């Protein structure tokens, strides 16, 4: 079983749509949780951290369910510029990051 | 502030050849990471340095991969000899601390093709 599992997609959505991504992780000792964004042929960049209380950054909302070992990302009012691969990431001891394989989002006009 | 620098950006070699990648982290970042990202997968940690010491190299294929960070600043990753399955993007990242979470900043990567 992979440590971090995501639906690879692609998710093809029209501009203005709301889209949700989910991921699950296997290590219950994981300490911190994140969503990274990776544009085609570019390096990953931190999109946002994820907390059990839920957190929002503009059009992006992330949620963590520790009991179910489940992380989600909701994007509202999708823009063309949101097209990218979204990587679910968990942090283990010593700042070690474990990445999922990513979910591809394509926003179309 | 300058980001993480990596070179070369692209490298094409034949199997069984050797190759080396270089990384210069963000100034002042004590922790440096090398990741391997195979097409269609997420980055996988190969090795983590704290200053010039190794913190985690559990996923480094030590029979062919080696890495060093002699002066606690820049780092090199070497593959010798390369195999076809080593074709990937090699990403270097740095962060300011280890022990508690600090954001990792990634360089642009070196895209390796092994023929």
């Amino acid at each position: 079983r992979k440590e971090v599992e995501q639906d690879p997609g692609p998710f093809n959505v029209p501009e203005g749509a709301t889209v949700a991504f989910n991921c699950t992780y296997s290590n219950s000792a994981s300490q911190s949780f994140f969503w990274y964004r990776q544009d085609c042929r570019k390096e990953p960049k931190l999109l946002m951290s994820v907390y059990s209380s839920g957190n929002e950054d503009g059009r992006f909302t992330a949620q963590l369910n520790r009991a179910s070992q489940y992380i989600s990302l909701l994007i509202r009012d999708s823009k063309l510029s949101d097209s990218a691969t979204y990587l679910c990431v968990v942090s283990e001891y010593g700042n070690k990051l474990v990445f999922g394989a990513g979910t591809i989002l394509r926003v179309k006009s | 502030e300058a980001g993480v620098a990596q070179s070369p950006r692209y490298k094409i070699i034949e199997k069984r050849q050797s190759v080396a990648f270089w990384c210069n982290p963000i100034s002042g970042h004590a922790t440096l990471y090398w990741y391997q990202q195979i097409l269609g997968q997420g980055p996988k940690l190969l090795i983590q340095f704290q200053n010039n010491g190794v913190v985690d190299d559990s996923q480094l294929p030590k029979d062919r991969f080696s890495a060093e960070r002699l002066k606690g600043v820049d780092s090199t990753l070497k593959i010798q000899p390369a195999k076809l399955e080593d074709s990937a993007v090699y990403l270097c990242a740095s962060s300011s601390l280890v022990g508690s979470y600090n954001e990792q900043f990634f360089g642009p990567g070196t895209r390796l093709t092994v023929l």
Side-chain angles (χ1 to χ4, degrees), chain A residues 32 34 36 38 41 43-44 46 87 91 93-97 99-101, chain B residues 33 35 37 42-43 48 56 95 97-98 101-104 106-108 111:
Chain A
S32 303
F34 312 94
Y36 272 68
Q38 186 170 28
R41 302 178 77 86
E43 69 272 23
L46 179 64
L87 299 162
S91 174
Y93 64 91
N95 214 27
K96 175 181 176 179
L97 297 184
F99 286 78
Chain B
Y33 315 79
Y35 291 84
Q37 186 173 22
Q48 178 180 343
D56 184 346
S95 68
L97 282 175
V98 72
Y101 179 72
N102 280 272
E103 183 179 351
Q104 294 183 24
F106 286 81
R111 187 173 299 272

Side-chain angles (χ1 to χ4, degrees), chain A residues 39-57:
Chain A
D39 292 308
C40 187
R41 302 178 77 86
K42 298 287 189 180
E43 69 272 23
K45 292 184 179 178
L46 179 64
L47 177 66
M48 59 194 304
S49 300
V50 189
Y51 305 110
S52 298
S53 55
N55 51 302
E56 189 173 306
D57 182 1

